[in-house]
Amino acid sequence: MPFAKEPPHQHGTVSSSAVVLVNLGTPDEPTRGAVRRYLKQFLSDPRVVEIPKAVWWFILHGIILPFRSGASAKKYASIWTRDGSPLRVHTSNQAMLLHAALGERGHGDVTVAMAMRYGSPSLPDVLARLKADGCDRIVILPAYPQYSGTTTGSIWDAVFAHYRKIRNIPELRLVKNYHDHDGYIEALRQNILAHWETHGRGEKLVMSFHGVPKRTLLLGDPYHCECHKTARLLAARLKLKPEDYIVTFQSRFGKAEWLQPYTAPTVAQLAKDGVRRLDVICPGFTSDCLETLEEIAMEVRHDFLSNGGKEFHYIPCLNENAHWIAALAEIAEQHMIGWPTMTTPTQRALRQHDADKGREAALAKGAPQ
């Protein structure tokens, strides 16, 4: 296998570290063509759809892409902002705020980059840019608190596939999950309390997580268990009774059985059972996106109100929440332990001095300039 050409080595360069915040992805614009390109990449991932490739190719290209792209484009258009896709905007802001938060913690030399598993900026492109910039220590930080082979596992696939073509691979640290991280749970709690303080509290809190096929659970995927642990820890911190909240799963696709209970029919039934005011939060999403802003805040809201409910409140994702940014910084920091990321100006000068001495020694032995 041919390896990609390495960037010119510069003797005397001080090594650097980076954190790459990786989210799922989004179309570049809310048009049929852009959505079709995005869905093709997303739904062609064998981690996402575990159907024999030949069978799935005909379903994807003969049914889904021709008929779903236009409908999905309309949904994306309903949530699109002046700055673009909400998911991309929030993830980009989180990366910038994370960089600032790490700097405040003393990690001023750490680069923070945003990447998408599908769409742009693509994860391989971001990793290539970091290499060109001389970065040789990288933390891959998924925007998914709960691990699933369909999400975090797919990120690992992309990372490993990229570095299969690289001769000089940087040191890598991969954040698997943080579904029970104290800072993440506290950020969710603060987010909910802030909403309740402003809007009042509903009769019941629905915690809606993204769904996956039930067979993934039966085959050993820990996602279902991690979602329930997040919910249990959050409920305990909010001092909720078991009857005060319910865990559901949304975004079912296809005819196979997915994790249950499903969000939409559950919410409709709650309205029929007499629940007049409902609060819904999506703890598995760290940035608002199509699945939260359109599916929950629009479609599920309609299901609740049309079945007798009177007041529906969607509690936004963590997005740029200060408690969440602090939690992100703590998670990233924990995975950089042992790396020279906390340097004073004096220490930085000493590192550069050592690098300069190394360059002199290399040149004395005949190394190219």
Side-chain angles (χ1 to χ4, degrees), residues 163-212:
Y163 284 119
R164 282 188 64 194
K165 307 174 222 174
I166 302 300
R167 187 178 303 277
N168 186 10
I169 299 175
E171 181 177 350
L172 294 171
R173 294 185 182 176
L174 314 176
V175 181
K176 181 178 181 180
N177 53 24
Y178 43 90
H179 62 288
D180 56 357
H181 189 276
D182 185 75
Y184 161 65
I185 300 297
E186 179 62 18
L188 289 172
R189 184 183 83 95
Q190 292 290 345
N191 194 36
I192 294 171
L193 291 179
H195 184 89
W196 284 348
E197 183 176 352
T198 302
H199 302 283
R201 177 174 167 177
E203 299 168 51
K204 192 179 287 288
L205 176 66
V206 172
M207 302 184 194
S208 179
F209 293 84
H210 197 288
V212 295

Side-chain angles (χ1 to χ4, degrees), residues 56-325:
W56 180 241
W57 190 94
F58 285 104
I59 297 174
L60 178 62
H61 292 269
I63 301 174
I64 295 176
L65 294 180
F67 296 101
R68 187 168 177 177
S69 299
S72 294
K74 292 179 181 178
K75 292 184 177 184
Y76 275 106
S78 72
I79 65 160
W80 216 256
T81 73
R82 177 184 299 180
D83 297 322
S85 162
L87 181 139
R88 179 178 289 145
V89 170
H90 288 306
T91 309
S92 177
N93 289 342
Q94 288 170 356
M96 290 187 291
L97 291 169
L98 175 57
H99 181 263
L102 288 173
E104 291 172 0
R105 288 170 172 257
H107 304 281
D109 294 335
V110 176
T111 297
V112 178
M114 173 195 75
M116 297 294 175
R117 174 62 184 90
Y118 315 103
S120 61
S122 76
L123 182 53
D125 286 349
V126 171
L127 295 177
R129 174 167 55 81
L130 289 173
K131 183 173 185 61
D133 291 341
C135 181
D136 58 2
R137 292 181 297 270
I138 299 176
V139 172
I140 305 294
L141 176 52
Y144 319 126
Q146 296 79 24
Y147 174 90
S148 172
T150 62
T151 53
T152 307
S154 180
I155 289 177
W156 297 167
D157 287 346
V159 170
F160 299 148
H162 172 75
Y163 284 119
R164 282 188 64 194
K165 307 174 222 174
I166 302 300
R167 187 178 303 277
N168 186 10
I169 299 175
E171 181 177 350
L172 294 171
R173 294 185 182 176
L174 314 176
V175 181
K176 181 178 181 180
N177 53 24
Y178 43 90
H179 62 288
D180 56 357
H181 189 276
D182 185 75
Y184 161 65
I185 300 297
E186 179 62 18
L188 289 172
R189 184 183 83 95
Q190 292 290 345
N191 194 36
I192 294 171
L193 291 179
H195 184 89
W196 284 348
E197 183 176 352
T198 302
H199 302 283
R201 177 174 167 177
E203 299 168 51
K204 192 179 287 288
L205 176 66
V206 172
M207 302 184 194
S208 179
F209 293 84
H210 197 288
V212 295
K214 182 180 178 180
R215 69 185 298 272
T216 63
L217 168 64
L218 302 179
L219 292 173
D221 195 297
Y223 177 73
H224 178 264
C225 300
E226 293 188 3
C227 289
H228 275 280
K229 186 172 184 180
T230 293
R232 174 171 56 81
L233 293 174
L234 178 57
R237 193 159 298 197
L238 288 167
K239 299 181 180 178
L240 299 181
K241 299 176 183 177
E243 61 268 23
D244 292 334
Y245 74 99
I246 185 170
V247 176
T248 63
F249 296 90
Q250 64 184 86
S251 307
R252 181 187 176 195
F253 176 75
K255 297 182 179 180
E257 181 181 359
W258 282 38
L259 297 181
Q260 296 196 40
Y262 302 137
T263 298
T266 298
V267 166
Q269 188 60 50
L270 288 172
K272 293 175 183 178
D273 291 342
V275 174
R276 298 177 64 82
R277 167 169 172 165
L278 190 68
D279 296 336
V280 180
I281 190 169
C282 301
F285 297 87
T286 53
S287 293
D288 272 311
C289 55
L290 184 73
E291 286 79 3
T292 64
L293 297 175
E294 195 277 335
E295 182 179 356
I296 298 298
M298 295 182 189
E299 293 185 7
V300 173
R301 175 193 297 273
H302 176 268
D303 292 337
F304 182 70
L305 298 179
S306 63
N307 282 281
K310 299 301 180 184
E311 202 172 337
F312 181 98
H313 286 259
Y314 166 64
I315 301 174
C317 289
L318 293 171
N319 296 326
E320 294 83 9
N321 180 290
H323 296 282
W324 167 232
I325 300 304

Side-chain angles (χ1 to χ4, degrees), residues 296-364:
I296 298 298
M298 295 182 189
E299 293 185 7
V300 173
R301 175 193 297 273
H302 176 268
D303 292 337
F304 182 70
L305 298 179
S306 63
N307 282 281
K310 299 301 180 184
E311 202 172 337
F312 181 98
H313 286 259
Y314 166 64
I315 301 174
C317 289
L318 293 171
N319 296 326
E320 294 83 9
N321 180 290
H323 296 282
W324 167 232
I325 300 304
L328 264 182
E330 185 175 337
I331 293 167
E333 187 177 54
Q334 289 170 348
H335 286 80
M336 295 189 296
I337 291 176
W339 287 356
T341 59
M342 301 185 71
T343 55
T344 65
T346 299
Q347 291 171 325
R348 195 172 297 116
L350 288 173
R351 289 182 66 199
Q352 186 61 59
H353 174 74
D354 290 342
D356 291 340
K357 295 293 287 184
R359 181 175 185 276
E360 292 175 7
L363 294 177

